[in-house]
Amino acid sequence: MADSAHDDQAAATEAFLTGTDSLKHASGPYFGEYGGRWMPESLIAALDELEETFDNARNDPSFRAEIAELNKNYSGRPSLLTEASRFAEHAGGVRVFLKREDLNHTGSHKINNVLGQALLARRMGKTRIIAETGAGQHGVASATACALLGLECVVYMGAEDCRRQALNVARMELLGATVVPVATGSQTLKDAINEALRDWVANVENTHYLLGTAAGAHPFPAMVRYFHEVIGDEARQQILEQAGCLPDAVCACIGGGSNAIGIFHGFLDDRDVALYGFEAGGDGVDTGRHAATITLGRPGVLHGARSYLMQDDDGQTIESHSISAGLDYPGVGPEHAFLADSGRVAYEPITDAEAMEAFRLLCRTEGIIPAIESAHALAGAIKVGQRMAAESSRPEERLIVVNLSGRGDKDVATAAEWFQLLDSTSVEAEIGKDGEQL
Amino acid sequence: MNSTPGTSKAAAAIDKARSEGRTALIGYLPAGYPSVQESIDAGIALAKNGADLIEIGIPYSDPVMDGPVIQEATNKALRNGFAVADVFKVVEGITSATNTAVLVMTYWNPVVRMGVDEFSRRLAEAGGAGLITPDLIPDEAAEWMEASDRYGLDRVFLVAPSSSPKRMAATVQASRGFVYAVSVMGITGARTTVGEAARAVVDAAHAAGAERVCVGLGVSRSEHVREIAAYAEGVIVGTALVSALTDGGPAAVGQLMADLSTGSARKEP
């Protein structure tokens, strides 16, 4: 079974690379040699049930209508495509357009996925949702969807993150969720995922694990991408309407990779559109303190999928580091691993310093405070724009679309600390120490 | 089940216990906890006090199937500098001092990192019987199926209360040595009773053609062993032994194993 699925994917890849086929709508379980189900047998039945429910739902007009209705009248979609002319002056003078996922309800692209999965949970008759969260964005989005649909919600969060993100813990609790601090392992996002998986094994009968990114075991990568495809579909249509042509490049940040795969998907088969994924370079990829999984990682299996992974020579997972909690994950979704190997998407690291410079620039040139995650995409766009300008006599005719995946309200304390805007005696300065965030 | 007599060390150990009218007792301990030498000593204590088979776990950074006791022990082993290749020393140390077969329990990524073939070759050289793989299902195991055949190693896959009849059949077919029946939907850890689901899983595995089925998760007392002996070919004890090692060193491990073995007689062999 595994072999023939691998062969099918290899044939599809070959067909795309020789120009006869599409890379869109890859259904898994394999993306090239990545993906699959590296999971305990106890959970396979639940994954099978989820796969079947998802397949039925996506082919059911009433499900699609339900999603479309929530996207429009709850999340506020379509999100805008905003041209950022003053910011673009710093990107070699090319034209830059921002896909405004920051304007969605709850402030990021995360809402697209949680609404979809919460509806699937209801279809499966599951009454309890568990989720992992790093900084709290996915936890808040999950708590939101559960409040809306009347589902119980339990969010696993590293104990250290709970302390640093006390206000996000309060947000989740205000929305009716229970937040469980995870004190095992390195007490970070990956350990929150481990703990959620342990809960799932024990409670799978009534519980759906609402994974927050396009990673994990099949069908999660393909399913999470499906719910985020709306980003790329809208962006493609909007840029055609507003600029009259497709962009030269699309830029997105990559942690697990859900916002990126969502916007890339709309442009995967537009061969002249260059796609760039920007990973968290932390202090710099030569320092060992980063989360540049594709740039420096090696293939391995973690949390259910084969993909690139930050690991030591023994296969033990290495802790990642980034100023952006949302990118601070030592793995990456398997479809990105495949797209990297195939050459369709270029992945590059952006350091904390580069991201924060782009963060400040967008604040001051456009009046938009981006999430620090999204600031990695902005910093990447500056580099791509400058490269384009160096190769072009008419940079103003070149177009870049950047996925502004979230708003930066959650990051104000980190940014204030970074830019030394805080009175050293203030409470915020105390909390903001060590790159912590309010 | 894919096991010809003479090629499977685990099957031979289980069959020997069966011929003596007992269910096989399988004791789990993590390699390198609290040190490589002490884990060898504790393994020898298992063998000398009634263990028919020994399961040695590789400490791993992300043990999603383990509860707090085993997590704490394996984290400590890692902090003490455990390296994956140390597991071969532990296997060799136990097998050279005893006649007891040793299986290695490992999450899959450390094997991937070393290379499935190289890992298998070194395990066989160390005298290991094979692998128990909690996060590797037969669907993803093509490379391991080949390597285990090449080096004559047992491959113990897990079946669970949630396994469909189709998956049960495929997993039994892919396994060699025995099939590991998860007694309960959950993770490792001592429980006061063995789940009611355990017997149903064992029955389903037998019905799917398994000759040897061993029950693990939550087994910690001799009365659990006695209960399971009535319907399964083997019983796996982990967390309780790890706690004993933490509290009283190898001697306590030997004492608990001796106590557990009082429950292993099968009324209807």
Side-chain angles (χ1 to χ4, degrees), chain A residues 60 64 133 135 137 271 297 314 320 354:
Chain A
D60 178 350
R64 293 202 301 267
T133 199
Q137 292 305 95
R271 284 147 205 279
D314 266 356
S320 54
E354 290 168 328

Side-chain angles (χ1 to χ4, degrees), chain B residues 118-132:
Chain B
E118 184 181 344
F119 188 100
S120 303
R121 181 179 57 75
R122 292 176 69 174
L123 178 62
E125 279 171 13
L131 289 180
I132 300 173

Side-chain angles (χ1 to χ4, degrees), chain A residues 92-123:
Chain A
V94 303
R95 295 178 73 186
V96 175
F97 292 78
L98 308 176
K99 181 57 177 162
R100 300 292 304 281
E101 292 298 295
D102 61 315
L103 297 178
N104 296 339
H105 179 45
T106 74
S108 79
H109 70 291
K110 294 287 187 191
I111 193 76
N112 305 327
N113 171 48
V114 296
L115 289 174
Q117 284 198 48
L119 286 176
L120 290 179
R122 201 165 67 175
R123 284 193 158 217

Side-chain angles (χ1 to χ4, degrees), chain B:
Chain B
M1 189 156 44
N2 212 335
S3 63
T4 17
T7 63
S8 165
K9 291 179 181 172
I14 291 167
D15 290 352
K16 180 165 178 288
R18 177 156 49 185
S19 71
E20 293 166 8
R22 294 182 293 109
T23 195
L25 264 176
I26 303 168
Y28 163 93
L29 288 172
Y33 176 72
S35 67
V36 170
Q37 187 55 50
E38 284 164 290
S39 63
I40 293 172
D41 295 343
I44 292 171
L46 286 179
K48 288 188 171 163
N49 288 280
D52 297 289
L53 250 175
I54 291 169
E55 175 186 349
I56 293 295
I58 296 184
Y60 176 55
S61 54
D62 297 274
V64 295
M65 278 294 282
D66 285 311
V69 170
I70 292 177
Q71 282 180 50
E72 203 169 302
T74 53
N75 280 337
K76 187 163 183 196
L78 289 171
R79 280 198 305 274
N80 290 349
F82 172 83
V84 168
D86 290 338
V87 79
F88 305 124
K89 292 181 204 162
V90 176
V91 169
E92 193 161 19
I94 298 170
T95 51
S96 63
T98 71
N99 289 321
T100 308
V102 178
L103 287 160
V104 167
M105 192 294 293
T106 183
Y107 293 93
W108 199 239
N109 199 50
V111 180
V112 172
R113 184 72 248 133
M114 184 175 287
V116 177
D117 185 86
E118 184 181 344
F119 188 100
S120 303
R121 181 179 57 75
R122 292 176 69 174
L123 178 62
E125 279 171 13
L131 289 180
I132 300 173
T133 52
D135 64 349
L136 180 72
I137 56 174
D139 317 52
E140 304 288 5
E143 215 181 340
W144 166 231
M145 299 293 282
E146 278 177 33
S148 52
D149 282 346
R150 195 174 308 130
Y151 297 104
L153 295 169
D154 288 324
R155 41 180 188 251
V156 178
F157 293 106
L158 279 61
V159 292
S162 58
S163 299
S164 67
K166 195 176 154 199
R167 292 199 58 79
M168 184 70 80
T171 306
V172 165
Q173 178 63 34
S175 300
R176 178 164 55 215
F178 66 91
V179 175
Y180 189 131
V182 170
S183 69
V184 62
M185 293 299 286
I187 55 177
T188 60
R191 292 172 174 84
T192 48
T193 58
V194 174
E196 304 225 327
R199 183 167 199 150
V201 183
V202 173
D203 288 349
H206 282 148
E211 293 169 41
R212 301 169 196 85
V213 185
C214 301
V215 175
L217 293 201
V219 185
S220 59
R221 303 174 182 176
S222 57
E223 58 261 37
H224 298 159
V225 174
R226 199 166 295 123
E227 183 187 332
I228 295 167
Y231 58 83
E233 286 71 38
V235 183
I236 304 159
V237 181
T239 297
L241 289 166
V242 176
S243 293
L245 181 57
T246 303
D247 297 341
V253 167
Q255 215 162 31
L256 176 58
M257 183 47 80
D259 176 55
L260 290 165
S261 67
T262 63
S264 66
R266 303 191 77 176
K267 284 171 191 145
E268 301 160 83

Side-chain angles (χ1 to χ4, degrees), chain A residues 193-231:
Chain A
I193 295 177
N194 292 343
E195 206 56 33
L197 285 169
R198 292 180 187 118
D199 178 319
W200 203 27
V201 175
N203 299 297
V204 67
E205 196 64 35
N206 72 340
T207 298
H208 173 63
Y209 180 14
L210 207 171
L211 185 67
T213 192
H218 179 69
F220 282 104
M223 182 180 69
V224 173
R225 185 203 65 225
Y226 174 83
F227 292 126
H228 286 305
E229 284 172 12
V230 63
I231 306 171

Side-chain angles (χ1 to χ4, degrees), chain A residues 12-337:
Chain A
T13 308
E14 181 64 24
F16 173 78
L17 295 175
T18 54
T20 58
D21 207 354
S22 170
L23 278 182
K24 294 180 76 170
H25 309 295
S27 61
Y30 302 102
F31 306 89
E33 58 181 293
Y34 304 104
R37 278 183 177 171
W38 309 82
M39 281 299 241
E41 170 65 22
S42 298
L43 289 172
I44 301 298
L47 293 168
D48 280 341
E49 180 189 17
L50 180 60
E51 180 180 8
E52 191 188 338
T53 305
F54 169 58
D55 280 343
N56 291 337
R58 72 199 296 193
N59 292 311
D60 178 350
S62 73
F63 180 79
R64 293 202 301 267
E66 204 171 4
I67 292 279
E69 158 70 18
L70 284 172
N71 279 348
K72 178 163 182 278
N73 291 323
Y74 188 70
S75 303
R77 302 204 73 92
S79 64
L80 302 177
L81 186 72
T82 304
E83 181 157 13
S85 306
R86 278 175 30 80
F87 176 82
E89 290 170 16
H90 301 267
V94 303
R95 295 178 73 186
V96 175
F97 292 78
L98 308 176
K99 181 57 177 162
R100 300 292 304 281
E101 292 298 295
D102 61 315
L103 297 178
N104 296 339
H105 179 45
T106 74
S108 79
H109 70 291
K110 294 287 187 191
I111 193 76
N112 305 327
N113 171 48
V114 296
L115 289 174
Q117 284 198 48
L119 286 176
L120 290 179
R122 201 165 67 175
R123 284 193 158 217
M124 291 185 287
K126 301 205 171 180
T127 55
R128 180 173 176 269
I129 296 287
I130 55 175
E132 82 293 341
T133 199
Q137 292 305 95
H138 174 59
V140 168
S142 297
T144 299
C146 290
L148 179 69
L149 298 180
L151 300 165
E152 183 188 350
C153 184
V154 176
V155 179
Y156 288 93
M157 186 169 182
E160 192 61 18
D161 288 336
C162 286
R163 196 185 62 76
R164 300 194 299 196
Q165 306 280 343
L167 283 184
N168 264 340
V169 173
R171 282 173 83 190
M172 289 182 260
E173 287 172 345
L174 283 171
L175 291 161
T178 304
V179 179
V180 181
V182 176
T184 57
S186 56
Q187 309 194 13
T188 60
L189 175 59
K190 82 172 177 66
D191 302 285
I193 295 177
N194 292 343
E195 206 56 33
L197 285 169
R198 292 180 187 118
D199 178 319
W200 203 27
V201 175
N203 299 297
V204 67
E205 196 64 35
N206 72 340
T207 298
H208 173 63
Y209 180 14
L210 207 171
L211 185 67
T213 192
H218 179 69
F220 282 104
M223 182 180 69
V224 173
R225 185 203 65 225
Y226 174 83
F227 292 126
H228 286 305
E229 284 172 12
V230 63
I231 306 171
D233 292 345
E234 286 177 7
R236 191 174 187 281
Q237 191 183 340
Q238 287 166 322
I239 193 76
L240 286 171
E241 284 167 10
Q242 292 177 31
C245 61
L246 288 171
D248 296 282
V250 174
C251 297
C253 63
I254 309 260
S258 67
N259 89 80
I261 204 69
I263 195 162
F264 289 167
H265 192 263
F267 301 92
L268 271 183
D269 288 347
D270 299 315
R271 284 147 205 279
D272 295 333
V273 178
L275 304 176
Y276 293 94
F278 294 100
E279 302 191 296
D283 293 347
V285 292
D286 50 353
T287 66
R289 289 178 53 82
H290 59 82
T293 308
I294 294 178
T295 307
L296 283 183
R298 295 175 287 192
V301 294
L302 177 69
H303 295 150
R306 185 170 194 279
S307 188
Y308 282 96
L309 179 62
M310 290 177 58
Q311 55 180 322
D312 67 14
D313 289 339
D314 266 356
Q316 310 284 358
T317 309
I318 296 174
E319 278 181 53
S320 54
H321 292 277
S322 169
I323 191 169
S324 154
L327 304 183
D328 200 349
Y329 178 61
V332 67
E335 193 167 7
H336 285 296

